[in-house]
Amino acid sequence: GTGDCASTFWNRSGGPIMIDWLKGYLETYKAALDHLPLEQISGAIETLRVALKEDRMIFVFGNGGSAGTAQHFVTDLGKGASDKLGRRFRCMSLNDNIGWITAIGNDYDYADIFVRQLENHAKPGDVLFTMSVSGSSPNLVKAFEWGTRNGMRTIALVGGKGGALAGIAEQVLVVNSAHYGVVEDAHLNICHLIAYAFMEHPELGK
């Protein structure tokens, strides 16, 4: 029973299968990190620096695990970076209002859950910031198309395929992998790099 299953799982010619798999995942992740687009990340930092200086709104959003990353990033900007700078980022996650999201999804279409919030809040010069492994989620694409038409700055973190967002966003930050876990891990790393740039370089807030 259990012993046979464990033996099959853990041993391959005497070697631990799970340890090999863990090492393989981390090697793939390290390779993705080694090729992060540092110039593009620096460009995104500059865009957010200008948004801070000009008191623009920064709207962050995503689907699934990327929704969690969006909330995490807004926390780092809105609290951590703002505290260190002594100047407040105006930022919000469009994933947070579940009542509004479900009303839009129910009464209109799931593809509208972000763009219809932007119609209420966004102004020209504000920033859209999203992350997507595929780069082609309809609700993200629709929001970025609307933002482009309405004079917003747009930043997209995507996976190796690029997707539709790569052809729409003003700034595209590509993680060169097709593995969902690895790309999502790297997207959080990018968000930390951006947020901690402000936390550890307070001159960016001047």
Side-chain angles (χ1 to χ4, degrees):
T2 304
D4 292 341
C5 179
S7 176
T8 300
F9 187 73
W10 283 102
N11 294 297
R12 181 185 62 200
S13 300
I17 294 175
M18 179 53 70
I19 297 298
D20 287 348
W21 179 84
L22 292 171
K23 288 180 178 179
Y25 185 104
L26 290 175
E27 286 171 1
T28 302
Y29 181 38
K30 290 174 185 176
L33 291 183
D34 285 342
H35 293 89
L36 287 183
L38 299 185
E39 290 188 10
Q40 286 77 15
I41 295 171
S42 180
I45 292 168
E46 174 61 14
T47 296
L48 297 191
R49 185 194 68 79
V50 172
L52 176 66
K53 182 178 180 180
E54 296 180 351
D55 199 32
R56 306 290 189 180
M57 277 294 300
I58 301 166
F59 300 99
V60 190
F61 49 100
N63 294 303
S66 296
T69 301
Q71 292 172 311
H72 189 150
F73 186 45
V74 164
T75 300
D76 284 344
L77 284 182
K79 180 186 181 297
S82 296
D83 287 350
K84 291 290 186 180
L85 294 172
R87 186 171 185 172
R88 316 310 298 183
F89 277 102
R90 293 206 305 124
C91 54
M92 65 182 293
S93 165
L94 297 183
N95 294 102
D96 286 346
N97 195 328
I98 194 64
W100 199 354
I101 287 171
T102 54
I104 293 170
N106 185 66
D107 295 349
Y108 301 105
D109 190 277
Y110 187 74
D112 292 342
I113 64 170
F114 299 128
V115 69
R116 286 188 178 269
Q117 292 185 70
L118 292 173
E119 288 173 351
N120 286 61
H121 287 301
K123 296 179 180 179
D126 289 344
V127 178
L128 300 186
F129 188 110
T130 196
M131 55 287 295
S132 170
V133 179
S134 72
S136 294
S137 299
N139 53 9
L140 306 181
V141 171
K142 196 165 187 176
F144 267 55
E145 289 175 338
W146 185 90
T148 299
R149 291 195 304 271
N150 287 276
M152 302 184 72
R153 306 295 304 275
T154 55
I155 303 172
L157 281 56
V158 299
K161 293 182 179 179
L165 287 174
I168 300 171
E170 177 185 1
Q171 294 173 267
V172 183
L173 284 61
V174 179
V175 174
N176 192 21
S177 174
H179 189 289
Y180 267 70
V182 166
V183 174
E184 289 181 344
D185 290 338
H187 282 171
L188 180 56
N189 279 143
I190 291 171
C191 288
H192 271 155
L193 287 169
I194 294 170
Y196 276 85
F198 289 100
M199 292 185 208
E200 298 184 8
H201 295 275
E203 66 274 14
L204 291 173
K206 295 179 181 179

